[in-house]
């Protein structure tokens, strides 16, 4: 009557073993560490970097607890563990000086970090500690200032290019279009032409103000943005930067990041639970803009460093390993790129496929129609310092979709695609505040959360055992399994646990014991009604199941709604709360009954069970 088949016991045993395996990594702690990553897009990290880091530390006489090279491509890094935080700080300073010849333009980023002490065999099984939120573990906080001046300049430059193109298409002659500050000045020979140009331009762009000046044959019209358009341009620029940062954070795989506008021109980025601080800073702080430019073919290849650079061209010496002269005219910016993927070309060579939006397709067609066989370059600008990422030959007139070839290897094409796919910023940003929230406050919160959970668990255990005797012990055992399963699932899902999440764990314990109380009381009712102990156990579990389902499903619906529609701490609470309900149903019914069956199920002549006092009306 009360016996489980073997496979059910095996299922419970496997669940407990897996639960222990994926919960244990949370108790190994962390070591102070330093992480070294590439500071430039064109500088690749290789395994040889581990040797270089070791040499720098050895020369300085700094001992370490292990050097490891992790990752690949742009996000490869060298991580060094140390015994104490003091050694960690000293090593960071030494590595920054030893690896970077120019401190003002560092080639490598050196950042403080914490590395989990989880054994490697567990890491291979993806048994990793769960992430903790900013309020528990700390994390990275960035406050970024958007260069609104650059946003306006970019907008006005676009209007200048559009005005020149429109007047040319409409055959309206002018004497020059110049960019003066945040306005555009168009010169004319006569007033009739000026009026015609204004009519043409006002029909194309409606957010402009026109101011006429000059006399005789030196007439000019000054074009500026309307105040509402000015504000809208800045707002759009900040929003685009937020969207781009969101894409980059997604590349980091950070759970529940906070990326929001603060004031008219600032953006806050918080990455709770992130361990790879250097990588986060490299990706988030990459205040880069992408530009597509043409190579100046008037300069003979190989003579770039000695030749006279034309007025409308620039010499680039950073990136690609060789100098190259590019025209100053920007064909395309990253704003027009809708997607980029690394795919082999028709010859099987690494290439990057790029999709442009409609306006971008028109621009690239106009730029490449008469330049087949010439070279085109992609320039990445970070902190005002340009790097040439790629120089490719134009094989045919390009459209909204084209390929960049000549990547060298698949890794280069994948990294370029990642940069393009991450999107360009509307304007450069400067990190004006960077905080790594220390573990002190988080440790205090963790201790309080753990103490509340432990003391709550102990109080429940004492009450259940005192009131329900052996059945109370079974309930406590099931409750412990519930906590084990919940922590294991949270760790396996790599959920970011916050303080509300810890509150949800404590709440889950309370709700889980409710199910066992229902079961125990049902068993008592059956005994009170005259059923034999074996019959009371079977009927008690079966009849309590319907009530447990009803009470948990309604709570589960609320938890799922919070999970779907909530955000930030609310969603963190909902995740733990929802998972806690599921694990409690499994442990309270399936595991608990399994233990009861194992203890009482094989006793054919069972006369009584230890479930506390069964009060029967009329009996003294």
């Amino acid at each position: 009557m009360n016996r489980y088949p073997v496979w059910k016991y095996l299922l419970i045993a496997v669940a407990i073993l897996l639960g222990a395996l994926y919960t244990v990594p949370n108790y190994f702690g962390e070591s102070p560490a330093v992480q070294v990553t590439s500071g430039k897009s064109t500088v690749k990290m290789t395994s040889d970097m581990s040797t270089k880091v070791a040499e720098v530390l050895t020369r300085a006489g700094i001992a370490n607890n292990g050097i490891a090279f992790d990752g690949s491509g742009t996000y490869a890094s060298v991580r060094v563990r140390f015994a104490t935080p003091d050694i960690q700080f000293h090593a960071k300073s030494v590595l920054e000086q030893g690896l970077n010849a120019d401190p003002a333009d560092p080639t490598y980023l050196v950042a403080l970090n914490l590395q989990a002490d989880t054994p490697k065999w567990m890491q291979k099984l993806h048994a990793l500690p769960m992430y903790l939120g900013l309020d528990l573990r700390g994390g990275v906080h960035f406050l970024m200032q958007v260069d609104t001046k650059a946003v306006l300049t970019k907008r006005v430059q676009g209007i200048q290019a559009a005005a020149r193109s429109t007047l040319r298409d409409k055959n309206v002659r002018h004497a020059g279009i110049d960019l003066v500050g945040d306005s555009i000045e168009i010169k004319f020979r006569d007033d009739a032409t000026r009026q015609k140009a204004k009519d043409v331009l006002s029909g194309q762009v409606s957010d402009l103000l026109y101011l006429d000046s000059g006399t005789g044959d030196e007439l000019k019209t000054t074009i500026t943005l309307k105040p509402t358009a000015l504000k809208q341009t800045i707002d759009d620029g900040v929003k685009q930067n937020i969207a781009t940062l969101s894409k980059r954070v997604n590349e980091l795989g950070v759970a529940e990041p906070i990326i929001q506008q603060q004031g008219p021109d600032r953006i806050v980025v918080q990455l709770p639970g992130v361990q790879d601080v250097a990588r986060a800073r490299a990706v988030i702080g990459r205040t880069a803009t992408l530009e597509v430019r043409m190579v100046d073919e008037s300069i003979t290849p190989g003579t770039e460093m000695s030749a006279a650079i034309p007025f409308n061209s620039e010499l680039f010496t950073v990136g690609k390993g060789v100098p190259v002269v590019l025209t100053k005219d920007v064909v395309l910016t990253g704003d027009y790129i809708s997607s980029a993927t690394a795919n082999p070309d028709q010859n099987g060579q690494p290439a990057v496929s790029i999709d442009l939006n409609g306006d971008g397709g028109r621009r690239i067609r106009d730029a490449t129609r008469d330049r087949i066989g010439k070279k085109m370059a992609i320039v990445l600008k970070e902190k005002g310092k340009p790097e040439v990422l790629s120089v490719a030959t134009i094989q045919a007139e390009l459209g909204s979709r084209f390929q960049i070839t000549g990547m060298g290897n698949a890794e280069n094409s994948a990294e370029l695609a990642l940069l393009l796919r991450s999107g360009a910023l509307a304007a450069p940003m400067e990190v004006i505040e960077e905080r790594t929230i220390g573990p002190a406050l988080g440790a205090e919160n963790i201790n309080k959360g753990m103490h509340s959970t432990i003391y709550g668990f102990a109080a429940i255990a004492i009450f259940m055992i005192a009131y329900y005797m052996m059945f109370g012990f079974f309930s406590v055992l099931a409750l412990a399994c519930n906590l084990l399963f919940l922590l294991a699932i949270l760790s396996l899902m790599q959920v970011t646990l916050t303080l509300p999440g810890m509150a949800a764990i404590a709440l889950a314990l309370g709700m889980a014991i409710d199910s066992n109380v229902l079961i125990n009381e049902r068993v008592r009712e059956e005994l009170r009604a005259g059923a034999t102990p074996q019959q009371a156990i079977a009927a008690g579990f079966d009849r309590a199941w319907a009530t447990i389902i009803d009470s948990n499903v309604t709570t589960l619906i609320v938890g799922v709604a919070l999970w779907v529609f909530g955000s930030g701490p609310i969603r963190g609470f909902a995740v733990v709360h929802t998972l806690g309900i599921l694990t409690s149903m499994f442990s309270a019914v399936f595991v608990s009954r399994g233990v009861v069956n194992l203890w009482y199920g094989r006793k054919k002549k069972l006369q009584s069970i230890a479930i506390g006092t069964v009060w029967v009306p009329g009996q003294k």
Side-chain angles (χ1 to χ4, degrees), residues 147-300:
D147 187 353
T148 54
K149 180 70 175 175
V151 175
L152 291 176
T153 301
K154 197 172 182 179
R155 173 82 165 112
V156 174
Q157 285 176 337
I159 295 173
Q160 181 191 21
R164 183 180 285 114
S165 175
T166 301
L167 295 179
R168 184 179 63 244
D169 293 344
K170 298 296 182 181
N171 198 26
V172 178
R173 293 183 177 276
H174 56 83
I177 300 178
D178 299 319
L179 184 66
V180 180
D182 293 335
S183 61
I184 300 166
E185 287 186 357
I186 307 179
K187 298 175 183 175
F188 299 96
R189 303 295 184 195
D190 58 83
D191 188 59
T193 305
R194 180 166 68 177
Q195 292 302 323
K196 184 179 179 181
K198 287 167 60 179
D199 293 341
V200 168
L201 293 177
S202 60
Q204 297 289 325
V205 185
S206 58
D207 295 330
L208 303 179
L209 293 174
Y210 299 90
L211 177 64
D212 295 337
S213 61
T215 58
D217 60 352
E218 295 184 352
L219 304 175
K220 65 180 181 182
T221 296
T222 303
I223 302 175
T224 56
L225 282 168
K226 292 179 180 177
T228 53
L230 205 65
K231 182 177 182 302
Q232 186 64 42
T233 299
I234 294 175
D235 288 344
D236 290 344
V238 174
K239 288 177 181 175
Q240 182 179 332
N241 279 17
I242 290 176
T244 303
L245 286 174
S246 299
K247 293 178 183 176
R248 293 180 178 179
V249 169
N250 288 338
E251 299 288 346
L252 283 169
V254 178
E256 300 179 15
I258 296 174
I259 305 171
Q260 58 189 18
Q261 186 172 347
Q262 185 178 79
D265 55 0
R266 291 182 175 181
I267 299 173
V268 171
V269 179
Q270 290 185 348
L271 307 177
V274 69
Q275 290 186 340
D276 199 340
V277 178
R279 179 182 170 192
R281 189 169 65 180
V283 175
I284 300 300
R286 185 186 294 147
T287 54
T289 53
L290 284 169
E291 293 179 353
V292 177
R293 297 192 190 189
M294 293 297 170
V295 175
D296 190 338
E297 301 286 346
S298 65
I299 304 298
T300 304

Side-chain angles (χ1 to χ4, degrees), residues 1 17 34 74 96 132 154 166 173 205 255 275 311 336 340 360 371 383 422 444 464 490 520 523 538 545 549 569 581:
M1 178 179 284
L17 285 175
V34 166
T74 306
E96 283 178 333
L132 301 179
K154 197 172 182 179
T166 301
R173 293 183 177 276
V205 185
Q275 290 186 340
F311 176 74
Y336 300 95
R371 291 190 172 112
K383 300 177 182 178
S422 297
E444 183 180 347
M464 292 297 290
L490 292 175
N520 295 343
V523 174
W545 174 240
I549 284 286
I581 292 172

Side-chain angles (χ1 to χ4, degrees), residues 291-504:
E291 293 179 353
V292 177
R293 297 192 190 189
M294 293 297 170
V295 175
D296 190 338
E297 301 286 346
S298 65
I299 304 298
T300 304
T303 64
E304 289 87 352
M305 299 300 292
S306 57
I309 306 301
F311 176 74
N312 197 38
S313 297
E314 287 181 276
L315 173 63
F316 291 84
T317 57
V318 180
K320 291 302 292 178
V322 294
V324 60
V325 178
L326 305 180
T327 62
K328 291 183 179 178
D329 297 329
V330 178
V331 175
L332 202 70
T333 65
D335 306 351
Y336 300 95
I337 298 174
S338 57
S339 74
T341 55
N343 294 316
D345 62 8
Q346 56 186 0
N347 298 319
Q349 298 300 313
V352 176
S353 299
I354 297 176
D355 288 331
L356 303 175
N357 59 24
D359 196 21
R362 182 184 60 78
R363 283 171 173 262
I364 200 73
R365 270 194 298 274
D366 293 343
T368 58
R369 184 175 297 128
D370 300 324
R371 291 190 172 112
I372 295 173
K374 299 186 181 301
K375 292 184 175 178
M376 181 178 71
I378 295 178
V379 181
L380 176 73
K381 284 189 173 180
E382 293 182 281
K383 300 177 182 178
K385 297 173 182 176
E387 289 183 64
V388 178
L389 293 180
S390 165
V391 177
T393 302
I394 302 171
Q395 304 290 346
E397 178 185 324
L398 304 180
S400 296
R401 182 177 177 80
F402 62 92
Q403 281 189 328
I404 298 176
T405 57
M407 294 288 99
N409 55 50
E411 182 180 337
N412 289 341
S413 63
E415 290 174 0
L416 180 57
L418 174 62
L419 279 173
L420 298 174
R421 192 171 58 247
S422 297
L425 298 170
M429 292 189 298
E430 182 184 359
V431 179
I432 59 175
E433 181 181 305
E434 177 185 333
R435 283 190 288 124
T436 302
I437 299 176
L441 179 61
E444 183 180 347
N445 290 334
I446 290 175
N447 288 334
K448 289 181 178 178
M450 288 187 67
H451 288 161
S452 62
T453 303
I454 292 171
Y455 293 147
F457 186 93
I460 291 173
I462 292 171
F463 171 78
M464 292 297 290
I465 294 174
Y467 193 68
Y468 291 110
M469 308 298 285
M470 186 58 78
F471 270 73
F473 175 76
F474 298 150
S475 301
V476 172
L477 200 60
L479 191 65
C481 290
N482 175 45
L483 185 60
L484 187 72
F485 298 150
L486 180 57
L487 293 179
I489 292 175
L490 292 175
S491 302
L492 187 61
M493 293 175 64
Q494 290 288 279
V495 169
T496 299
L497 183 66
T498 61
L499 205 54
M502 294 196 76

